[in-house]
Amino acid sequence: MIKFLKDIYSFYKLKLNESNYKVGFFCENNFIFEYLEPYIFNKSKKNEVLILSFENIENNLIKKKNFFVFYTNFFREFVFLTLRLKILYTSTPDLDHSIFKKSKFSKCKYVYLSHTPVSLTMIYNDNSFDSFDAVQCTSKYHLKEMNEIIIKRNLKTRAFKSKYLFIKKLIEKNKHQNSEIDVLIAPSWNSSFYKLGCHILLKKFLMENKISFKLRVHPMSFIKKEISIKEIKQLDIPIDNLNMLNLFKYKYLITDWSGVFIEYAMIFKRKAFLINTPKKIVNQNYLKYENKPIEITLRNILGKTYDIENIKEIASSIKILSQEEDKKKLIEKDDDVEEIISKNFFI
């Protein structure tokens, strides 16, 4: 009841001041806000920018008078249906196929901004981008893929090239930070990583090789009950529980099918260590597309892959690599990775 009353007040306040805004951002939660922050900052230089969210976001960039959070599904949907803006930016897909609906009261343009460099087909529903006026493409892979989606689904959506500002933000923010821990383990969700005991095997072999590490659990793995904090603590596995992932704290990355291996390559021009768990697939129709998902196409170029029975080799490889780099006092870039990134990604 309290949340409903809060939403009534927020809705009233929004409608009272809505004419002050032409540009808006829908930042569904704190996680998504981190990706949209650079774009909000750019737009805020010339416009008063409205920000809608489902979570409270603490950030000095946000003017409190421009920020509105809604807690109940009734008001969340009602706000979108009655919105009066010229343009709304978001990183939430499935427009018009969820409570995120197009306005019935304005000819608002809807622009999708990417929060991951992975495929636009394999981990998204078929109709995820159908109702958007424009979709940001942060690489040549995205651009080809989105243009194929537009043709196959007969969309009026425009695919546009744009820099992945999140990477630039991370580099600028952390470029002077030294790595504190050897390895970050950051698996995706829905990949059977925990079911197959990969976290237990990694702990065993990394500890045997005296390699420091932390595990960062994807929020969806908690929501889907793939694992719990209690289980991780019982296994005595150190956890990275920062609100936002900071890759600069680590020398090496171990993951499975998470798009973080592409971001790692974009930042450090280095290969991650990838475990061949079952693919994370949301949309089986991805197989109908000519353009293969980037996480498959570049998997053996931007990463070193290992089957589950060979997880022990990951720890051995990291130990050898670390010893070589300690002698050189330098963590070297991979020339092949650097070339792929510079030629294909808009950063």
Side-chain angles (χ1 to χ4, degrees), residues 3-13 70 72 75:
K3 289 181 178 180
F4 193 81
L5 293 174
K6 283 183 177 180
D7 282 358
I8 291 175
Y9 174 72
S10 294
F11 186 79
Y12 170 75
K13 192 169 64 170
F70 292 92
T72 63
F75 272 102

Side-chain angles (χ1 to χ4, degrees), residues 129-132 146 149-157:
F129 307 107
D130 287 10
S131 295
F132 283 96
M146 191 62 215
I149 290 171
I150 290 168
I151 293 169
K152 279 189 179 295
R153 299 189 61 78
N154 193 27
L155 305 180
K156 295 181 180 179
T157 309

Side-chain angles (χ1 to χ4, degrees), residues 162-331:
S162 176
K163 290 183 178 181
Y164 191 37
L165 295 184
F166 177 66
I167 295 297
K168 182 180 179 182
K169 165 188 165 179
L170 290 183
I171 294 172
E172 287 299 315
K173 184 178 179 181
N174 300 290
K175 60 185 177 183
H176 298 302
Q177 179 173 333
N178 294 320
S179 53
E180 305 165 2
I181 301 165
D182 293 322
V183 174
L184 172 68
I185 305 169
S188 184
W189 65 282
N190 195 29
S191 65
S192 299
F193 181 88
Y194 301 105
K195 184 178 179 180
L196 294 168
C198 296
H199 56 309
I200 298 171
L201 292 171
L202 284 170
K203 178 199 171 184
K204 171 181 166 59
F205 296 128
L206 290 172
M207 289 186 70
E208 285 178 357
N209 285 277
K210 296 182 172 55
I211 298 169
S212 61
F213 66 95
K214 281 192 176 182
L215 170 68
R216 186 173 180 88
V217 180
H218 193 289
M220 285 301 294
S221 290
F222 287 134
I223 293 171
K224 297 294 184 180
K225 301 187 186 310
E226 294 175 352
I227 198 165
S228 67
I229 288 287
K230 182 180 178 182
E231 289 174 284
I232 297 170
K233 287 182 176 178
Q234 286 175 341
L235 291 166
D236 197 25
I237 295 176
I239 304 172
D240 180 318
N241 55 8
L242 293 176
N243 289 333
M244 196 62 198
L245 171 60
N246 183 359
L247 288 170
F248 290 80
K249 290 180 62 178
Y250 304 90
K251 290 181 182 178
Y252 311 107
L253 172 68
I254 299 174
T255 183
D256 46 13
W257 288 93
S258 170
V260 71
F261 87 90
I262 303 175
E263 292 178 343
Y264 179 82
M266 293 169 78
I267 294 170
F268 301 109
K269 313 301 186 293
R270 286 165 61 84
K271 293 183 179 181
F273 296 87
L274 309 179
I275 301 172
N276 293 327
T277 59
K279 295 184 187 71
K280 173 183 150 185
I281 301 173
V282 174
N283 179 12
Q284 292 288 349
N285 287 335
Y286 85 90
L287 294 167
K288 296 180 180 179
Y289 289 88
E290 182 180 331
N291 288 283
K292 290 184 179 179
I294 185 174
E295 54 268 47
I296 295 176
T297 305
L298 295 183
R299 185 167 177 80
N300 291 303
I301 299 174
L302 301 185
K304 300 175 183 178
T305 59
Y306 298 80
D307 292 333
I308 295 168
E309 58 267 28
N310 297 324
I311 281 180
K312 184 177 182 179
E313 294 178 15
I314 298 178
S316 301
S317 298
I318 290 174
K319 184 177 181 179
I320 294 168
L321 189 60
S322 184
Q323 288 171 342
E324 290 174 352
E325 291 174 341
D326 283 345
K327 289 178 184 177
K328 297 175 185 175
K329 296 183 180 179
L330 175 69
I331 300 178

Side-chain angles (χ1 to χ4, degrees), residues 14-75:
L14 170 59
K15 291 303 170 184
L16 204 62
N17 298 284
E18 195 172 27
S19 60
N20 296 329
Y21 307 105
K22 294 180 180 179
V23 177
F25 282 81
F26 169 38
C27 304
E28 188 172 352
N29 49 45
N30 280 272
F31 173 78
I32 294 298
F33 175 81
E34 293 294 334
Y35 288 86
L36 295 182
E37 182 185 19
Y39 305 97
I40 295 172
F41 178 75
N42 286 346
K43 293 297 178 182
S44 296
K45 292 176 182 177
K46 295 183 179 180
N47 301 282
E48 286 292 328
V49 173
L50 170 68
I51 300 173
L52 300 173
S53 183
F54 294 167
E55 289 182 0
N56 191 39
I57 298 171
E58 295 294 336
N59 188 280
N60 294 331
L61 170 68
I62 300 176
K63 295 179 183 178
K64 293 298 181 183
K65 67 183 181 70
N66 295 340
F67 176 68
F68 298 85
V69 59
F70 292 92
Y71 299 98
T72 63
N73 285 341
F74 173 81
F75 272 102

